[in-house]
Amino acid sequence: MDRAKVAALAEERLDWRFKAAPAAAWGRSTAEYLAGGPTLDDLGTPLVTLDAGALEHNLATMAAWCAEAGVGLAPHGKTTMAPALWLRQLDAGAVAITLANLPQLHVARAFGLRRIHLANTLLDPAGLRWLSAELAADPELRFASWVDSVRSVELMAEALRGAPAPVAVCVELGAPGARTGCRTLAEAEAVARAVHAAPELRLAGVSGYEGAIAHDATPDSLAAVGRYLDQLAELHQLLLEADLFETAEVWLTAGGSAYFDAVTERLAPLGTDRTKVVLRSGAYLAHDDGFYRSISPLARTTAVPFRSALHGWARVVSQPEPGLALLDGGKRDFNFDLGYPEPQLVRGGGQLDAGKLQHSRVAAMNDQHAFLREAEVAVGDVVRLGLSHPCTAFDRWTLLPVLDSADAELPRVVDLVRTFF
């Protein structure tokens, strides 16, 4: 990445456009504001923050896990859409950043990212021609996207006819009832042969997403994931033996944040000097206090688990009836697609107290409020909330304060992370 462009984010002026930035920060750069030593008490609510210690722990833990397992990591950048965090992942050993659509590619190239894996099929003609021009202009740019039908191959080839550089693609294998991807090995082979025959494209690997196969860690779900990964391995071997791959390095890639242990177990043995087995886990960096906490491979084993780096903060603004408190943060502020926020502790009267929330729960949410039940709180108290599913947390905030420790009595703001959604 272009380190200078990432570093320049610290010079961006803060103002009313960033809902996490208090009025006291307006007109100052990020660097100037941080130099003043702000604390959590200087920020308003509702708010979502990151925890510096948890981020560092998760970066190091995943890097060590991949190194020991002998697999590469191209973390899904769509989770955070934060170039500063992408750079930290690359510095920790990631071989590329995975993205999901054309606007995200535009952000990546604006910050000079040169190793990009698009976990999607890019069919937009203007986007393909732009990408081809980027590839021609930057010999160090490495890119591959997905394709799962002969028709898609035809459309891509047509859009790229006469373009300055070919585009690399991976054949995607799916499963019945799942998301995208060829449904059979025969179909996938036909797509691979169509790519091989198109001079505008280069066959660069085999891809898939096992997270679309299952959504829990029951024995039946783990078995279904295993069967799918075996098919992915079979497809790779089939195309390798048919000599259809056209790039010096071939990727065999799968692995979200729920089953990367199974991916490694089934696919890592296929790695060679040419074949690179690459995980695409993205949620590990921020982790969560919900879905991924329950399903992460490191939570299902004796390994050191990831730590949640994401927290919501909301203030009690009303207690209209016994047992009910209304918080000033709702669906516009906190993610809720894989579970409501989890009440964790209360900041009030200069003290932290988790006991007041022992039997509490967020029972409902609307646009700007959360309905907190059975909590021992008072109007004015600030409640820390654990969040589930980081992929839908970052996109609500263009700026996320990073705290030295969300568990501290008075957390210090040590960084501000800029996102681009």
Side-chain angles (χ1 to χ4, degrees), residues 11-220:
E11 303 308 316
E12 186 172 18
R13 295 288 161 180
L14 302 174
D15 58 27
W16 52 267
R17 292 172 301 163
F18 304 104
K19 65 180 183 178
W26 296 354
R28 300 158 72 183
S29 70
T30 293
E32 290 168 346
Y33 179 64
L34 293 174
T39 69
L40 182 61
D41 284 352
D42 296 316
L43 306 178
T45 55
L47 183 68
V48 168
T49 63
L50 294 168
D51 184 290
L55 286 175
E56 187 57 39
H57 167 81
N58 295 343
L59 274 170
T61 298
M62 191 62 174
W65 197 95
C66 290
E68 184 176 350
V71 295
L73 176 64
H76 218 319
K78 68 160 185 169
T79 301
T80 67
M81 285 307 295
L85 295 180
W86 297 348
L87 183 57
R88 291 184 64 178
Q89 291 173 302
L90 292 168
D91 285 345
V95 298
I97 296 295
T98 298
L99 297 169
N101 59 31
L102 183 60
Q104 293 173 11
L105 290 182
H106 291 159
V107 173
R109 289 303 291 155
F111 285 89
L113 186 63
R114 282 177 158 164
R115 299 193 300 275
I116 303 171
H117 189 79
L118 185 70
N120 209 340
T121 301
L122 180 58
L123 294 181
D124 178 83
L128 283 165
R129 290 191 291 272
W130 166 82
L131 175 62
S132 178
E134 291 286 300
L135 288 162
D138 187 350
E140 295 186 47
L141 174 59
R142 298 291 180 266
F143 172 88
S145 66
W146 293 4
V147 66
D148 70 353
S149 70
V150 172
R151 177 58 175 159
S152 294
V153 172
E154 294 170 346
L155 290 171
M156 294 179 76
E158 180 181 348
L160 289 166
R161 201 150 294 138
V167 171
V169 295
C170 295
V171 175
E172 181 194 1
L173 183 68
R179 202 172 65 180
T180 53
C182 302
R183 278 1 191 193
T184 67
L185 295 180
E187 182 184 349
E189 182 182 3
V191 172
R193 292 188 179 279
V195 172
H196 189 75
E200 298 83 4
L201 302 174
R202 296 285 184 271
L203 187 60
V206 169
S207 60
Y209 176 52
E210 77 293 340
I213 306 301
H215 305 284
D216 56 45
T218 63
D220 286 347

Side-chain angles (χ1 to χ4, degrees), residues 57-383:
H57 167 81
N58 295 343
L59 274 170
T61 298
M62 191 62 174
W65 197 95
C66 290
E68 184 176 350
V71 295
L73 176 64
H76 218 319
K78 68 160 185 169
T79 301
T80 67
M81 285 307 295
L85 295 180
W86 297 348
L87 183 57
R88 291 184 64 178
Q89 291 173 302
L90 292 168
D91 285 345
V95 298
I97 296 295
T98 298
L99 297 169
N101 59 31
L102 183 60
Q104 293 173 11
L105 290 182
H106 291 159
V107 173
R109 289 303 291 155
F111 285 89
L113 186 63
R114 282 177 158 164
R115 299 193 300 275
I116 303 171
H117 189 79
L118 185 70
N120 209 340
T121 301
L122 180 58
L123 294 181
D124 178 83
L128 283 165
R129 290 191 291 272
W130 166 82
L131 175 62
S132 178
E134 291 286 300
L135 288 162
D138 187 350
E140 295 186 47
L141 174 59
R142 298 291 180 266
F143 172 88
S145 66
W146 293 4
V147 66
D148 70 353
S149 70
V150 172
R151 177 58 175 159
S152 294
V153 172
E154 294 170 346
L155 290 171
M156 294 179 76
E158 180 181 348
L160 289 166
R161 201 150 294 138
V167 171
V169 295
C170 295
V171 175
E172 181 194 1
L173 183 68
R179 202 172 65 180
T180 53
C182 302
R183 278 1 191 193
T184 67
L185 295 180
E187 182 184 349
E189 182 182 3
V191 172
R193 292 188 179 279
V195 172
H196 189 75
E200 298 83 4
L201 302 174
R202 296 285 184 271
L203 187 60
V206 169
S207 60
Y209 176 52
E210 77 293 340
I213 306 301
H215 305 284
D216 56 45
T218 63
D220 286 347
S221 291
L222 295 176
V225 167
R227 290 192 296 271
Y228 167 74
L229 293 170
D230 287 342
Q231 283 195 312
L232 201 65
E234 186 177 349
L235 175 61
H236 169 76
Q237 290 295 102
L238 188 158
L239 301 185
L240 195 64
E241 292 169 6
D243 196 25
L244 294 178
F245 293 120
E246 302 172 274
T247 53
E249 184 175 276
V250 174
W251 273 30
L252 176 55
T253 175
S257 295
Y259 306 107
F260 59 79
D261 57 338
V263 174
T264 299
E265 178 185 347
R266 302 295 178 113
L267 301 186
L270 300 179
T272 65
D273 288 343
R274 188 184 186 195
T275 296
K276 307 302 179 185
V277 178
V278 181
L279 305 178
R280 302 190 312 276
S281 313
Y284 78 91
L285 180 59
H287 198 48
D288 73 1
D289 282 308
F291 177 73
Y292 285 108
R293 180 180 61 189
S294 66
I295 202 172
S296 167
L298 303 193
R300 293 187 269 109
T301 68
T302 58
V304 176
F306 296 127
R307 291 162 46 191
S308 178
L310 270 174
H311 297 97
W313 305 85
R315 199 176 308 270
V316 179
V317 293
S318 177
Q319 287 183 296
E321 60 189 61
L324 173 64
L326 277 298
L327 306 180
D328 65 354
K331 293 179 178 180
R332 297 288 179 90
D333 312 295
F334 308 131
N335 44 314
F336 58 94
D337 57 309
L338 290 180
Y340 284 154
E342 171 188 273
Q344 293 183 330
L345 60 81
V346 178
R347 300 185 76 241
Q351 295 182 333
L352 303 180
D353 194 334
K356 293 181 177 180
L357 299 174
Q358 187 175 358
H359 303 293
S360 69
R361 72 192 191 284
V362 172
M365 296 174 70
N366 55 29
D367 282 357
Q368 311 295 171
H369 293 92
F371 292 68
L372 181 64
R373 295 283 183 180
E374 309 306 326
E376 299 176 30
V377 293
V379 170
D381 285 349
V382 173
V383 177

